[in-house]
Amino acid sequence: MRSIRIAKLLTLVLMAGIGTADAEPGITEKEIVLGNILPMSSSAALAGRALQIGTQLAATEANAAGGVAGRSVVLKTEDDGYVPARAVQGLRKLIDEGVFGLLSISGGGGSVAMLPIVEEQGIPAFASLSPLKAAVDPVRPTVFMIGASYQQLIYSQLKYVKDSRKRPDAIYGVIRQDDDFGDDVEKGFQRAVDELKIKAVAPVRYKRGQKEFGAEILKLRSEGINVLVAGGVTIETAAMLREASKFKMDLDIATVPTMQLLPVMKLSEATEYAPLSADYVSPLGSPEAAHFESLVRRHLREDEAAAVNRYSIAGYVVARVMIEALRRCEKELTRTCVTAKLTSGEPFDVDHLTQPISFTKERHTAATAVRVLEVDPKAKTVKALTEFAEY
């Protein structure tokens, strides 16, 4: 009788252990569900769709290698249309459906709106579309960021202009969106004003979704600017360049990484500008991207491959880090374990697509080194002007 009681007790213990693993959100016997909140529509869809494709490539690669602890990695993506309210709505839907972690918490105001919920729920999450400083400063226990913030990206370009373009009396101006993305752009601009001792005019704001920038460009033209921070999300940047070109303004122009996207280049090719950009990922066509591009050829349809850009690399890197953290927790698939592995200080292999990646409890950012680039819209090329450096 006693042996029967012991056997029953062991069975209950084993069942309790299984129940603990299965009770973790997004973990079943067969699947691990990861989520994305991304702008799959709106002007930001050029970046959002590309990033989603990168995360899917990483999941496909992982599943071909056996998944994680015998489970397939499954992705669910919610389209927020680059609207904060929809971002929160999409997040709540994923939470209700059961999602273990987030590979993207969208961009701009959407990211900021979701952060309190992500923190409250203890969801491992990455700010991968928009590297906003607010996501990781102050440090939030389960939120991580790969890449430099917009502040650093803008500052790096303005420092390059100050040091290399030989315009000692230049006047600097910025056009920025009226949201958290724009706040970060302006902070990078203001840092350059303060640290580089450059002459600047007051920032000019525009409303999300704006398409015409004649008034903003005319205002900055009347103030005699020589250097412009074109703080557009995607097509807004091209619209700014076209307006400045109409007035034949002689400008050095700084932009965010979306300037490197082929559709944005095409919209800018009629201008005479070769704007600057900055980045923390290796470009397509580089030796470092060879493995990634082999995955593109092997696994993507023609229309998907055509949508791949630098945001796809960012998405792939983030997903690869999350999946590796899950594998390191194979015997304890919990959010607590994954967060501990992410903050252990141990490096994650991302095939040199970025600078080395590791996090600690005090530092939730990685691969923050950037290099300044020059974009040629006519030739559809991007070339590096500097080596990777910390700003």
Side-chain angles (χ1 to χ4, degrees), residues 117-165:
I117 302 170
V118 170
E119 189 170 8
E120 178 190 340
Q121 296 282 327
I123 304 171
F126 283 88
S128 51
L129 182 73
S130 292
L132 291 171
K133 193 174 181 181
V136 290
D137 185 11
V139 168
R140 300 170 191 270
T142 65
V143 181
F144 303 87
M145 186 171 81
I146 291 174
S149 68
Y150 286 125
Q151 295 182 37
Q152 294 164 296
L153 293 169
I154 294 300
Y155 176 83
S156 68
Q157 296 171 69
L158 297 185
K159 187 175 189 309
Y160 176 83
V161 170
K162 174 73 167 18
D163 293 344
S164 304
R165 292 292 168 91

Side-chain angles (χ1 to χ4, degrees), residues 26-61:
I27 303 287
T28 71
E29 290 184 2
K30 295 182 179 180
E31 296 179 345
I32 297 174
V33 181
L34 300 176
N36 286 311
I37 310 289
L38 286 167
M40 303 294 284
S41 57
S42 82
S43 63
L46 292 170
R49 186 185 178 209
L51 193 139
Q52 191 276 335
I53 289 170
T55 61
Q56 187 59 60
L57 271 179
T60 299
E61 181 182 37

Side-chain angles (χ1 to χ4, degrees), residues 90 217 243 291:
I217 291 295
E243 287 295 335
H291 172 70

Side-chain angles (χ1 to χ4, degrees), residues 273-355:
Y273 300 118
L276 300 177
S277 188
D279 217 336
Y280 47 86
V281 301
S282 298
L284 292 167
S286 67
E288 294 84 357
H291 172 70
F292 173 82
E293 291 184 85
S294 73
L295 294 174
V296 170
R297 292 190 295 271
R298 200 179 320 153
H299 297 295
L300 297 186
R301 303 188 309 265
E302 185 176 345
D303 63 313
E304 293 173 324
V308 167
N309 57 47
R310 55 87 53 207
Y311 286 93
S312 305
I313 295 178
Y316 173 80
V317 166
V318 163
R320 190 158 155 164
V321 168
M322 179 76 89
I323 290 166
E324 180 56 32
L326 281 159
R327 284 175 170 158
R328 293 177 187 180
C329 290
E330 186 170 346
K331 296 180 180 179
E332 187 191 349
L333 287 174
T334 65
R335 288 172 171 175
T336 299
C337 179
V338 165
T339 301
K341 295 301 181 183
L342 285 170
T343 57
S344 68
E346 297 178 23
F348 290 86
D349 177 21
V350 293
D351 203 29
H352 306 290
L353 285 167
T354 68
Q355 294 290 286

